[in-house]
Amino acid sequence: MYILGIETTCDESGIALIEAKDNKIKIINNELALQYSVHQKYGGVVPILAAREHHKNLPLLLKNIEKKFDLKKIDYLAFSAGPGLLPALVSGKEFVIGLAKKLNKKIIKVNHLEAHTYACLINNKIGVWQEIKTVVFPAIVLVVSGGHTNLYLFKSWAEKRLLGATVDDAAGEIIDKCARALGLGYPGGPIIEKKARQAKNFFALPKPMIQKSYTFSFSGLKTAFIDLVADIKKLKKLDEQTICDLSASLQKTVSEILIFKIKKAAETYNCKSILIGGGVSANGNLRKQVKKFFKQYKILFPPKELSTDNGLNIAIAGYLTLLNNSHPSLVDWNNLEVFSRENIYDKH
Ligand code: KG4
Ligand code: ZN
């Protein structure tokens, strides 16, 4: 079957096409339009501008696919219905409903967080059939992004439980804010990672709520970091080397917090596998530390380019939603609800 995936939860407009059968997929096309230059001057995503950009980008992305592929052959439209920014989701929803009507197809309602998880199961190779990777359960799943830091226990694809989440900011969100305090661009994660490679010294930073089971809190770390940067600025000592040292210290502290909680969960629930998805999972330091720390587990990360938001993850999740869910959310044209906060994934 052919599945078109559409992503508009935040500031990436994505459309991708896959062919899928017998637990195998072939990536046909993965079209992505980034909006970073639009949001950069605000230091974060402006929802209404994100919506406007999706409105402009989606028809252009679809045209690129249409050049090589007859859209009538598509079987399902997979749409990332949330959690995300409401204006951005609504512009995607209008687009997918319009397309569903035109092509006379059903929509598979995909949860954005599930899509980040399922991205761990594929390679990013275009045009070749690939087997979807298997997971040995029980597994610990961490979705760590600009909007979420959620830790789950999966006993199977159908049996999952949210163990804990952040009580304030998400890990990616504070990385972006701290990068802004350093005068670096948006999104902060990749720039912080690059600067951290040149570090020579580390600053001690707090790890709020580290002992508190599976609950995360990052806002105290953000405040401590921003205060530290302000103090260093007052002393006129915020030179390039100090920016690199601060970047590495932040990256290291975030990795340590995430690893601490994963370790506790993996041991408590006697897990076999660890899956880490979402934008922050692109971080090379986090990947290295996790591999070093959890040698006895099967570790699955998405391909780096698929850690952040894209339409391909949604298409894959569309297929796996059909396979793994006895009641997949197949939606009629005028019946598609979007949601800003999790109200599906976290029932437990
Ligand atoms: O998953 P994503 O694209 O969007 C949400 O669903 O939120 O994640 C975006 C987040 C941003 O905060 C960005 O700074 C962070 O992922 N990120 C990174 C890296 N690449 C993206 N954080 C750390 N290291 C990276 N290499
Ligand atoms: Zn995301």
Side-chain angles (χ1 to χ4, degrees):
M1 70 176 81
Y2 290 102
I3 303 179
L4 192 79
I6 299 170
E7 161 62 40
T8 66
T9 52
C10 191
D11 61 339
E12 278 96 356
S13 321
I15 306 191
L17 180 68
I18 61 164
E19 189 176 357
K21 64 170 181 212
D22 306 332
N23 216 38
K24 291 193 202 85
I25 62 131
K26 183 163 82 175
I27 305 168
I28 299 173
N29 220 341
N30 186 15
E31 299 286 331
L32 190 65
L34 303 177
Q35 312 176 0
Y36 299 154
S37 58
V38 175
H39 303 284
Q40 186 133 22
K41 60 174 170 286
Y42 305 101
V45 181
V46 182
I48 201 74
L49 294 182
R52 188 191 70 188
E53 292 302 304
H54 291 315
H55 189 71
K56 275 199 305 204
N57 292 336
L58 292 173
L60 301 176
L61 300 181
L62 188 67
K63 260 202 190 107
N64 289 343
I65 292 178
E66 215 173 353
K67 276 181 205 156
K68 299 177 219 152
F69 187 83
D70 178 4
L71 298 184
K72 286 194 211 92
K73 289 196 323 206
I74 290 170
D75 294 283
Y76 293 104
L77 304 173
F79 173 64
S80 175
L85 305 171
L86 269 187
L89 287 166
V90 169
S91 83
K93 169 182 153 160
E94 281 168 6
F95 179 82
V96 75
I97 288 177
L99 193 60
K101 281 184 179 169
K102 189 171 143 197
L103 300 173
N104 196 13
K105 305 291 171 191
K106 283 223 160 157
I107 298 166
I108 309 170
K109 188 170 173 175
V110 167
N111 183 297
H112 182 79
L113 303 183
E114 285 188 343
H116 276 310
T117 309
Y118 285 138
C120 296
L121 308 185
I122 55 158
N123 295 312
N124 192 16
K125 281 193 194 132
I126 298 207
V128 287
W129 280 102
Q130 56 172 296
E131 195 95 33
I132 292 168
K133 291 177 196 169
T134 50
V135 171
V136 188
F137 294 102
I140 290 299
V141 172
L142 176 72
V143 179
V144 58
S145 67
H148 294 86
T149 311
N150 285 11
L151 193 68
Y152 301 90
L153 169 67
F154 276 55
K155 291 193 177 156
S156 69
W157 287 118
E159 208 186 330
K160 56 202 166 205
R161 196 169 110 210
L162 180 70
L163 295 175
T166 179
V167 288
D168 39 55
D169 297 341
E173 191 180 350
I174 70 138
I175 293 173
D176 292 340
K177 299 267 164 63
C178 292
R180 192 181 181 193
L182 289 175
L184 306 173
Y186 170 83
I191 313 172
I192 290 277
E193 179 171 0
K194 203 165 156 216
K195 295 279 177 201
R197 288 193 201 115
Q198 313 301 324
K200 290 190 178 144
N201 296 299
F202 289 90
F203 291 86
L205 292 167
K207 295 176 193 160
M209 285 200 184
I210 192 73
Q211 297 295 346
K212 190 133 194 317
S213 293
Y214 309 118
T215 304
F216 296 91
S217 166
F218 288 102
S219 75
L221 169 57
K222 174 185 71 182
T223 307
F225 187 90
I226 292 173
D227 287 352
L228 177 61
V229 172
D231 289 346
I232 295 173
K233 269 187 184 162
K234 260 189 230 148
L235 299 171
K236 300 208 181 329
K237 286 193 170 158
L238 192 65
D239 54 19
E240 179 59 21
Q241 187 57 53
T242 311
I243 290 177
C244 294
D245 293 349
L246 283 161
S247 299
S249 311
L250 177 69
Q251 183 179 263
K252 178 170 175 278
T253 308
V254 171
S255 293
E256 284 172 1
I257 294 169
L258 299 176
I259 287 171
F260 190 89
K261 309 269 176 174
I262 295 170
K263 181 173 185 287
K264 184 155 190 212
E267 285 172 0
T268 304
Y269 295 100
N270 211 1
C271 286
K272 304 277 184 291
S273 314
I274 296 170
L275 283 72
I276 307 181
V280 179
S281 77
N283 188 271
N285 176 264
L286 176 66
R287 287 178 179 232
K288 203 168 133 198
Q289 296 306 324
V290 165
K291 280 177 196 150
K292 198 169 111 188
F293 221 87
F294 296 110
K295 287 209 171 77
Q296 68 277 39
Y297 298 88
K298 185 173 178 187
I299 313 274
L300 291 167
F301 279 99
K304 273 197 181 185
E305 330 73 71
L306 300 183
S307 285
T308 43
D309 297 348
N310 62 79
L312 180 57
N313 289 356
I314 307 307
I316 308 288
Y319 179 53
L320 290 169
T321 301
L322 288 179
L323 283 191
N324 292 334
N325 193 334
S326 47
H327 302 289
S329 305
L330 287 174
V331 182
D332 289 322
W333 300 334
N334 287 318
N335 233 346
L336 180 60
E337 297 291 330
V338 293
F339 56 100
S340 59
R341 300 178 71 84
E342 302 126 79
N343 59 3
I344 296 177
Y345 204 38
D346 293 335
K347 271 188 199 153
H348 61 113

